[in-house]
Amino acid sequence: MKNRTLLVLALSLLLTLVTGCDNSMESESATLRLNLASERFRTSRSLLPTQEDLTIASVRITGSGPKGQNIDIQSADQSVEIGNLAIGTWNLHAVGSNSKGIQLVSGDVTTLLSKVTSEATLHLTQLVGAGELSIQLFWDPDQVATDVRLEAQLFDQTGSSIALTAGELSIAEGTARLQKALPAGSYYLKVQLFSQDVLVSGFGHALRILDTVTSDESMEMVIGDLSTEFTIMVVNNTMLPLEGTIGATPLDAVRDQEVTLTYDPSNLPFDVGIEDLLIDWYCEGELVSQGSAAYTSFPLPGVHRYDVIVNHARLGSLGSASILVDMPI
């Protein structure tokens, strides 16, 4: 078995043994040469365990035979010779383990041992035990909407679906964990990430589950698509300074009579009305009225300056207009 890497994809059991003996030889003993093989153990689609984890470093062989005889040996060789065995039918079991002592694969054979037929081939055909799948997924939360969802599907080597639910999904951090206890074997994992019901990332991953081992992995969901169409509507929310004129009624002031001043804007945008404006009236720099486009006063005799300051919520809209009112003595 040394210097020979045996990786599991699928396993087959075959016994190659030439049989034939005389029952009269049952009381005699013989030497059994046992060849351990697993021809389909050479390659693997697994990406999680290391090559060392999947390499058989030793094989334990146990068995029982005639006259209550038992064997229990450990070997690192591909071919094992076992001497002084009673002639007759032997039931043999072998378990292959890696260098860490983790059992990988087993096999069984029942063979008739005699002076003539003293060699058998035992194929390791059965994966041993159960382990756990534990994969931490992460993605850039800034690249997805808050409705992001993750879909995960797991299949065994025959293509049969195995129930798998994503747990501990954090939208804010962009993480999720897939965790499940599984029999030892080869599996295919399919994961897809959706945002706004659009597939934004996904991957397929072959994995191997080993006995008593948690296959722990951290994998990034790469969101690498570049959008070919993205329209940006630019809206100017600023305004030009408001302009307008002030009209006086009556046009020629009369002593001791009121004068009504009215502001008339000249450059309002189509979506802005005079009722949307903030209007302040000043006389000689002193605030005298607010909120109306018209202001009525009783000016004293002489010339007086009236200013109107006009504003809107949009930036840059602040404007003004002025008028001189000449009140006769």
Side-chain angles (χ1 to χ4, degrees):
M1 185 91 59
K2 294 181 179 178
N3 302 322
R4 183 176 182 183
T5 302
L6 303 177
L7 305 177
V8 172
L9 273 182
L11 306 169
S12 62
L13 178 60
L14 177 65
L15 172 62
T16 305
L17 181 64
V18 180
T19 60
C21 76
D22 189 334
N23 291 336
S24 64
M25 301 175 63
E26 185 175 354
S27 61
E28 301 183 26
S29 65
T31 297
L32 173 65
R33 178 183 294 273
L34 188 62
N35 299 312
L36 302 172
S38 182
E39 297 304 322
R40 297 179 61 191
F41 214 81
R42 300 175 184 271
T43 61
S44 174
R45 297 172 298 171
S46 173
L47 300 179
L48 294 182
T50 65
Q51 181 173 333
E52 180 183 1
D53 290 336
L54 292 174
T55 299
I56 296 178
S58 64
V59 178
R60 181 183 179 184
I61 303 169
T62 58
S64 61
K67 299 183 178 181
Q69 189 175 9
N70 296 305
I71 60 172
D72 189 343
I73 61 175
Q74 193 89 11
S75 175
D77 295 324
Q78 183 178 355
S79 180
V80 181
E81 287 191 4
I82 309 171
N84 298 319
L85 297 181
I87 289 177
T89 300
W90 280 85
N91 299 307
L92 302 175
H93 177 71
V95 177
S97 302
N98 63 18
S99 61
K100 300 176 183 178
I102 297 172
Q103 296 183 352
L104 300 178
V105 65
S106 67
D108 296 275
V109 67
T110 297
T111 182
L112 182 63
L113 172 63
S114 72
K115 293 289 186 178
V116 177
T117 58
S118 60
E119 184 170 308
T121 299
L122 192 159
H123 285 265
L124 304 178
T125 64
Q126 302 161 5
L127 295 177
V128 176
E132 186 170 0
L133 167 68
S134 181
I135 297 182
Q136 180 72 30
L137 302 170
F138 64 94
W139 58 88
D140 185 353
D142 293 333
Q143 289 188 272
V144 294
T146 56
D147 67 345
V148 62
R149 76 177 191 276
L150 190 74
E151 293 184 2
Q153 294 176 284
L154 185 65
F155 305 91
D156 64 18
Q157 192 165 348
T158 66
S160 299
S161 179
I162 299 172
L164 180 64
T165 302
E168 302 179 22
L169 189 147
S170 171
I171 296 176
E173 297 180 4
T175 61
R177 178 169 289 278
L178 302 177
Q179 196 160 4
K180 189 174 182 65
L182 294 167
S186 296
Y187 297 88
Y188 172 71
L189 175 65
K190 175 183 176 182
V191 179
Q192 293 178 304
L193 187 69
F194 294 85
S195 176
Q196 297 177 312
D197 290 327
V198 176
L199 177 64
V200 295
S201 182
F203 67 84
H205 191 59
L207 54 98
R208 257 296 288 283
I209 298 298
L210 303 182
D211 185 36
T212 71
V213 175
T214 297
S215 298
D216 203 349
E217 187 86 358
S218 181
M219 301 183 66
E220 180 181 8
M221 303 288 294
V222 178
I223 304 174
D225 285 349
L226 298 177
S227 178
T228 56
E229 292 186 16
F230 188 52
T231 301
I232 299 178
M233 181 71 69
V234 177
V235 178
N236 182 12
N237 282 328
T238 66
M239 287 174 58
L240 295 173
L242 291 166
E243 298 177 356
T245 58
I246 299 175
T249 304
L251 186 59
D252 296 322
V254 178
R255 181 179 177 177
D256 296 332
Q257 290 188 4
E258 66 181 21
V259 176
T260 299
L261 304 178
T262 303
Y263 173 71
D264 182 22
S266 60
N267 67 335
L268 287 181
F270 73 93
D271 57 344
V272 176
I274 194 169
E275 67 278 1
D276 300 320
L277 305 181
L278 302 175
I279 302 175
D280 296 334
W281 290 93
Y282 290 84
C283 179
E284 313 293 6
E286 183 177 353
L287 180 65
V288 293
S289 180
Q290 290 180 295
S292 175
Y295 168 63
T296 299
S297 68
F298 294 87
L300 296 174
V303 178
H304 305 280
R305 177 181 172 124
Y306 289 86
D307 298 292
V308 63
I309 305 300
V310 187
N311 195 12
H312 187 268
R314 294 182 186 174
L315 295 175
S317 61
L318 187 66
S320 64
S322 302
I323 189 172
L324 294 176
V325 174
D326 186 0
M327 198 69 177
I329 299 175

